[in-house]
Amino acid sequence: MTTTPLTLSPVVVTGAAGFIGSHLTDALLAHGTEVIAIDRRSVHKDPVAARNLADALTNPNLAFHQADLATDELDELDELISGARIVFHLAAVPGVRDSWDERFRDYAASNVVATQCLLTACERAQVPRLVLASSSSVYGQTSGPSTESDPTYPMSPYGATKLAAEHLCMAHAARPDTSTSVVALRYFTVYGPRQRSDMAISRVLAAVLSGVPVPLYGDGQQSREFTYVDDIVAATLAAAAIPGEVGAETVNVGGGSSVSMLELISVVGQITGRKVPLTMEAPRAGDVEATRADLTRAHALLGYSPRVELRDGIARQLDWMVKQPSPQSISEPSVGEVVLR
């Protein structure tokens, strides 16, 4: 797979203190790339941000800036991205359930308004490429593998904000006076070390480790294409390095297969040698029956093929979880349920 050339330094990573953003930041620093990391969370006050960037913060090639893309002064953002060759836009509020309630204003600001502000700044700074982290949630209910040309019918406000961010990117990339090309990557349920504590695999593993039952919503037949974070990072780096005139592209990034929640629970039981404690709950608004990615375009444009199989990836995540000194004190706020995206 193609990787980001070191000559593209410096690069900007928004949402750098998050689950995927911190892994991407680590990978870029490992390449010797100069990284301008932006996140609205404080690495001094937020324990999750501090944990995720613990190694990166010791690297002299990292410059961390606490900033809110949606509300901070535009001239400050202009200064941060000035001279950047690549901007990786991962900053967003994630999760389906919370997007239905009073938090929607935060979703709209962080996922839509912030994207518009960043795109405008990229055009002023003449950044050659922006890579957007989108989501499989834009598809909604599907009957088979999703292709990038399929209709999009998001079933949650969260999915709607991610699709809006994509449309903003495409609109800006189509401007005749822009020099910023865009690659929007539709991530399919990402897992691995540092995964948010409210997501499915984290919750199932935590249930095994603690003995506290995890809610299973519906009949357990709903399926997801789980994608290991290292594969996500590899695809994201490749998106930055697509040669030639890109304009605007949308690309699925998945794990290669879709499994049901019952199959996932079985795999966790086999890995740990323990039964996963469950409580059965009614289905939730916004959850789709299945996600599955057609990776034809990812193969062609990114040279992408997922490398980490689900069993191996879950074992790596479990190993990371048991090594955490105090999982409860550093876990991100949980809504007490499995999140399927």
Side-chain angles (χ1 to χ4, degrees), residues 59-136:
N59 193 307
N61 281 340
L62 179 79
F64 180 83
H65 299 271
Q66 184 182 355
D68 190 324
L69 300 176
T71 62
D72 287 357
E73 295 296 328
L74 290 179
D75 56 354
E76 179 183 352
L77 182 55
D78 288 345
E79 183 178 346
L80 288 178
I81 70 172
S82 177
R85 303 295 299 165
I86 300 291
V87 171
F88 296 97
H89 183 33
L90 282 74
V93 177
V96 168
R97 184 177 185 270
D98 280 1
S99 68
W100 292 100
D101 60 23
E102 63 274 6
R103 283 200 66 199
F104 178 73
R105 290 181 182 273
D106 193 17
Y107 280 78
S110 299
N111 300 359
V112 182
V113 175
T115 300
Q116 166 68 9
C117 292
L118 183 63
L119 285 163
T120 302
C122 285
E123 289 175 341
R124 285 196 296 264
Q126 297 186 329
V127 175
R129 180 159 303 163
L130 181 140
V131 179
L132 171 73
S134 188
S135 168
S136 60

Side-chain angles (χ1 to χ4, degrees), residues 19 191-195 201 205 226-231 264 267-268 271 307-321:
F19 164 39
Y191 74 102
R194 306 177 197 165
Q195 186 189 45
I201 292 178
L205 289 174
F226 294 100
T227 315
Y228 192 68
V229 66
D230 286 0
D231 286 330
L264 170 66
V267 170
V268 170
I271 291 172
R307 296 187 177 185
V308 181
E309 295 184 353
L310 183 63
R311 181 182 295 269
D312 183 28
I314 292 176
R316 296 185 197 181
Q317 183 167 338
L318 174 64
D319 182 64
W320 174 82
M321 288 179 67

Side-chain angles (χ1 to χ4, degrees), residues 15 34 98 139 175 192 215 236 244 273 314:
E34 179 184 344
D98 280 1
Y139 287 115
R175 287 177 55 134
T236 304
I314 292 176

Side-chain angles (χ1 to χ4, degrees), residues 118-180:
L118 183 63
L119 285 163
T120 302
C122 285
E123 289 175 341
R124 285 196 296 264
Q126 297 186 329
V127 175
R129 180 159 303 163
L130 181 140
V131 179
L132 171 73
S134 188
S135 168
S136 60
S137 293
V138 303
Y139 287 115
Q141 294 283 19
T142 60
S143 58
S146 297
T147 66
E148 293 84 354
S149 59
D150 285 349
T152 49
Y153 296 106
M155 293 184 60
S156 68
Y158 164 73
T161 63
K162 296 302 286 185
L163 184 58
E166 282 191 19
H167 285 319
L168 281 171
C169 286
M170 301 306 144
H172 277 269
R175 287 177 55 134
D177 59 346
T178 188
S179 58
T180 302

Side-chain angles (χ1 to χ4, degrees), residues 257-279:
S257 63
S258 186
V259 301
S260 71
M261 277 301 298
L262 291 178
E263 290 173 314
L264 170 66
I265 289 165
S266 175
V267 170
V268 170
Q270 293 168 20
I271 291 172
T272 62
R274 303 179 190 178
K275 184 177 180 179
V276 178
L278 301 171
T279 59

